[in-house]
Amino acid sequence: MVKYIIKRVISCIITMWVVATITFLLMHAVPGGPFDREKKIPPEIKKQIEARYNLDKPLWWQYQDYFKHLLKGDFGPSFRYIGRSVNDLIKDGFPVSAQLGGVSVLVSLLIGIPFGIISALNQGKWQDNFVMFLATIGITIPSFVLATLLLYFLSFKLGLFPSMRWGTAKHYVLPAIALAATPTAFVSRLTRSSLLDVIRQDYVRTAKAKGIPDKIVVYKHALKNAVIPVITYLGPLVAGILTGSFVIEKIFTIPGMGRQFVESITNRDYTTILGLTIFDSFLLVSFNLLVDILYVVFDPRIKLDN
Amino acid sequence: MDLNLKNIDKELFEYIPSDNKDLNTVVRPSETYWQDAWRRLKENKVATFSLFALILLILISIIGPYLSKFDYRTNDINSLNLSPNSEHWFGTDELGRDLYVRVLYGMRISLSVGIVSALINFVIGVIYGGISGYYGGNIDNIMMRFVDVLYSVPTVLYVILLMVVLGEASLSNIFIALGISYWVGMARIVRGQVLALKQQEFVLAARALGAKNFRIILRHLIPNSMGPIIVTLMMSIPSAIFTEAFLSFIGLGVSAPMASLGVLCNDAITTYRTYPYQLFFPSLAICIIMLAFNLFGDGLRDALDPKMRK
């Protein structure tokens, strides 16, 4: 177990290094310097600015310097917000995004799994068709379309929820629904298919033959194995919610990391894009690692050597 | 039940002489893999319906704009923000441009983004996965580690970075960004297929006859794994369309006066309270396209690859 974890941690570190390097090179390959504005800056001033941000040094030096700071957890200064570092931006945005994302993950699991169970137990009946219909809708409607529909009907027409600002519990409702819709659909499809798989297995038939009530067979015997694929989906789920938040936070004007990301793109704020991408990837990679470890813990049938 | 074998009337049974002649005759002509798949696809009503819907969508997006006397770029100061009427079927936008034509052009862009980027990732994925699976060993190891690294970070992030690097948000740049980001899944599928197929006798036979490696990959291994490849390809189209809409929505889509569906939605969102129809039509178009591709992809998967069915 320990050996497996060490191996996975090492591969995660390599992944992070590759991602950071690729992102660093991509951001430095952007045509035009980060301080090119529509109005030309006098060359002397431009030189000053570049010297201030070490942009006049060779690329290799910049790369080493960036990584030196990165290892200390320092993402460097933002090119657009003078005097603010990318760390400041993350400190502001991350808690908001993490809360919203956490709520959305919870929503998608708490709704997705029961819906999947209902539809698997009623395979072919109207409940199944209904849930699968909802799931198809959930997968096909882009989150920004759903978000704007929600805004228009529930917030603007009916006035049930606020459409702007951030803070109270009511503010969470619409963004969380919009963000969780697609993952919920995936989770319910996944739960349904894996539960259908498990229900047909021998040990379930044995349990039934022993005279154990159907409910106990499903919830105690079958479900345990059926949720394992859902656990493996947790990694992509978090990834989806993270990238989904770019759009949702923009629409609902939520001061989170997703909106900062989008803003840094429109502002061409390269260090912020670089920093946020690395931070996002770090979150995802460590989450995937966690899921992989959880997976082994939950399913003793998996061999650790592989 | 009172079932006693001794009570059954012997008359009910009939003696069949052991003549094997009938067993060896072929009753029906044998179907090829593709005929079989086509039959399964035709039996699937949802899939057939969405196939028709897709063909219809493509035709509409090609022919549709010519049915209107407006084009997508002409501003008309006398008809700003008109609601849908007999002249402007979907209304007009804040610059007086006809929304019907703009939505159809947006559909054209979305469909071509989906199809072209799927083709690009088909080419890259098949070559990469084919080489990796066929040569195996260290080459496979290194190539797949790289794929794993790419796989662990969401594609949307790459696409965004690439769009930022490519600078100008033109259609061809979107093709490039999507094409070189989405091949990872394809490469994995192809590699898996090739890995399983290369052990089989027909590959050995081809090699014994002196076929070169690339010929074996391209003429023997890839055609035999076409089923899963097509399914993956079909599934990648809606996700490419989705990503393009997503990109446009955060301001990295095609630039004015051209507009993809995502750009139209993004433009409309600032005024959705006053002019909801400006948001409604492009959103509806995206949803229909996504739905049709997803349902057809599901049907195709069931038809081509019954094992993958979930």
Side-chain angles (χ1 to χ4, degrees):
Chain A
M1 185 75 192
V2 177
K3 211 175 155 193
Y4 170 80
I5 294 176
I6 291 172
K7 222 173 156 186
R8 288 280 300 136
V9 169
I10 291 173
S11 85
C12 282
I13 291 170
I14 295 173
T15 305
M16 275 315 301
W17 171 71
V18 173
V19 168
T21 306
I22 292 178
T23 324
F24 179 86
L25 292 176
L26 280 178
M27 283 301 102
H28 282 263
V30 177
F35 300 106
D36 289 349
R37 302 285 148 86
E38 266 152 45
K39 206 175 139 203
K40 276 260 159 67
I41 309 172
E44 305 85 52
I45 294 176
K46 202 176 164 189
K47 230 178 209 164
Q48 284 273 330
I49 297 176
E50 282 182 347
R52 161 81 179 75
Y53 290 108
N54 291 324
L55 288 171
D56 51 349
K57 303 257 182 16
L59 191 64
W60 173 240
W61 189 91
Q62 289 183 43
Y63 177 75
Q64 279 180 320
D65 186 57
Y66 190 80
F67 267 75
K68 242 182 257 160
H69 285 100
L70 199 60
L71 287 179
K72 291 183 211 145
D74 178 11
F75 290 101
S78 155
F79 278 170
R80 275 295 147 122
Y81 303 105
I82 311 286
R84 296 196 73 190
S85 68
V86 179
N87 289 55
D88 291 337
L89 292 174
I90 292 176
K91 228 178 272 161
D92 288 347
F94 180 63
V96 177
S97 293
Q99 273 171 12
L100 178 62
V103 171
S104 308
V105 170
L106 270 184
V107 167
S108 55
L109 291 180
L110 289 181
I111 296 177
I113 294 178
F115 267 45
I117 295 174
I118 292 172
S119 96
L121 293 185
N122 299 294
Q123 195 192 2
K125 291 185 206 155
W126 67 267
Q127 295 98 325
D128 183 26
N129 292 333
F130 179 68
V131 170
M132 281 304 105
F133 174 74
L134 279 187
T136 313
I137 297 279
I139 288 170
T140 47
I141 293 191
S143 55
F144 58 87
V145 173
L146 183 65
T148 42
L149 283 178
L150 288 172
L151 262 182
Y152 185 71
F153 287 107
L154 296 184
S155 165
F156 177 57
K157 285 273 165 184
L158 299 173
L160 291 176
F161 300 101
S163 64
M164 292 281 188
R165 295 211 180 80
W166 189 241
T168 64
K170 262 193 170 182
H171 285 97
Y172 281 85
V173 180
L174 296 185
I177 294 176
L179 205 49
T182 310
T184 310
F186 266 113
V187 168
S188 58
R189 271 174 96 154
L190 207 58
T191 312
R192 173 181 182 269
S193 64
S194 74
L195 191 57
L196 282 178
D197 252 15
V198 170
I199 276 180
R200 296 204 186 95
Q201 282 181 15
D202 290 342
Y203 81 94
V204 173
R205 196 183 307 128
T206 312
K208 274 187 183 162
K210 278 174 162 174
I212 299 171
D214 273 359
K215 274 209 170 129
I216 296 181
V217 172
V218 170
Y219 291 104
K220 225 178 149 193
H221 297 236
L223 201 57
K224 240 186 211 167
N225 282 323
V227 290
I228 288 173
V230 180
I231 294 175
T232 51
Y233 178 65
L234 278 177
L237 173 78
V238 171
I241 282 182
L242 199 91
T243 46
S245 71
F246 296 171
V247 161
I248 299 300
E249 289 183 8
K250 185 193 167 195
I251 294 176
F252 290 95
T253 60
I254 298 165
M257 241 172 39
R259 203 178 65 165
Q260 285 169 345
F261 199 96
V262 176
E263 272 174 9
S264 68
I265 289 166
T266 29
N267 289 336
R268 304 278 184 241
D269 185 352
Y270 300 127
T271 39
T272 310
I273 301 179
L274 178 59
L276 289 181
T277 308
I278 293 174
F279 187 71
D280 275 0
S281 327
F282 173 71
L283 278 182
L284 285 173
V285 168
S286 32
F287 212 84
N288 279 331
L289 175 69
L290 193 73
V291 167
D292 279 359
I293 293 171
L294 268 185
Y295 189 44
V296 175
V297 172
F298 271 90
D299 193 352
R301 287 172 301 182
I302 293 169
K303 283 184 189 136
L304 287 176
D305 318 327
N306 296 327
Chain B
M1 268 227 294
D2 184 26
L3 191 77
N4 193 337
L5 284 175
K6 279 177 188 163
N7 295 341
I8 297 177
D9 195 354
K10 285 233 168 72
E11 296 285 304
L12 286 171
F13 294 94
E14 188 189 345
Y15 176 72
I16 297 178
S18 60
D19 180 9
N20 284 333
K21 211 163 54 184
D22 284 350
L23 291 177
N24 288 331
T25 51
V26 179
V27 188
R28 279 184 295 179
S30 64
E31 283 186 319
T32 65
Y33 172 68
W34 296 105
Q35 284 169 335
D36 200 31
W38 176 239
R39 181 179 50 75
R40 272 196 294 255
L41 190 67
K42 274 192 295 189
E43 277 166 15
N44 187 341
K45 278 193 199 115
V46 179
T48 337
F49 181 74
S50 40
L51 177 62
F52 278 118
L54 281 178
I55 295 171
L56 200 66
L57 280 173
I58 294 173
L59 286 180
I60 289 176
S61 70
I62 294 171
I63 302 167
Y66 301 111
L67 300 180
S68 167
K69 58 187 175 200
F70 302 100
D71 66 17
Y72 68 90
R73 57 195 309 164
T74 312
N75 304 347
D76 182 0
I77 248 160
N78 294 319
S79 49
L80 304 181
N81 291 321
L82 288 182
S83 299
N85 55 44
S86 59
E87 206 171 324
H88 296 280
W89 297 328
F90 290 179
T92 58
D93 67 1
E94 56 185 0
L95 293 172
R97 293 175 294 198
D98 184 68
L99 259 185
Y100 164 77
V101 178
R102 284 177 76 72
V103 167
L104 290 191
Y105 265 93
M107 274 168 61
R108 231 188 239 194
I109 293 177
S110 293
L111 289 170
S112 49
V113 162
I115 292 164
V116 173
S117 60
L119 287 180
I120 297 175
N121 85 48
F122 167 77
V123 173
I124 302 179
V126 163
I127 294 174
Y128 195 96
I131 292 175
S132 174
Y134 184 76
Y135 288 101
N138 276 335
I139 297 178
D140 181 39
N141 247 331
I142 293 167
M143 287 175 93
M144 278 301 123
R145 280 299 84 74
F146 183 63
V147 163
D148 286 345
V149 169
L150 289 185
Y151 207 73
S152 57
V153 178
T155 4
V156 176
L157 273 182
Y158 285 118
V159 179
I160 291 175
L161 289 180
L162 281 170
M163 286 308 290
V164 173
V165 173
L166 292 170
E168 190 202 354
S170 67
L171 199 54
S172 52
N173 280 346
I174 291 178
F175 288 155
I176 295 171
L178 287 176
I180 58 182
S181 311
Y182 269 88
W183 55 271
V184 178
M186 177 67 86
R188 280 189 156 185
I189 298 279
V190 174
R191 174 188 171 262
Q193 289 286 321
V194 168
L195 219 51
L197 282 173
K198 74 171 180 183
Q199 307 291 345
Q200 292 192 11
E201 282 84 359
F202 71 90
V203 178
L204 190 68
R207 202 175 293 145
L209 287 169
K212 296 256 172 16
N213 282 338
F214 264 86
R215 190 185 155 84
I216 294 177
I217 295 179
L218 291 180
R219 298 299 297 273
H220 296 281
L221 296 176
I222 301 301
N224 275 299
S225 36
M226 223 44 201
I229 290 178
I230 288 181
V231 173
T232 321
L233 196 67
M234 206 55 213
M235 292 301 197
S236 77
I237 293 179
S239 58
I241 292 176
F242 182 83
T243 312
E244 187 277 328
F246 186 94
L247 283 180
S248 306
F249 196 80
I250 61 174
L252 287 170
V254 290
S255 35
M258 274 293 241
S260 72
L261 294 172
V263 174
L264 291 174
C265 287
N266 190 22
D267 288 348
I269 199 162
T270 43
T271 53
Y272 76 93
R273 285 163 190 246
T274 344
Y275 311 114
Y277 62 88
Q278 288 181 0
L279 188 64
F280 175 74
F281 290 112
S283 311
L284 187 71
I286 296 181
C287 293
I288 293 175
I289 291 177
M290 294 285 292
L291 194 66
F293 269 112
N294 270 311
L295 291 178
F296 181 63
D298 277 350
L300 205 61
R301 183 193 54 206
D302 294 348
L304 283 176
D305 198 357
K307 273 179 287 179
M308 262 167 88
R309 183 169 196 162
K310 273 188 179 168

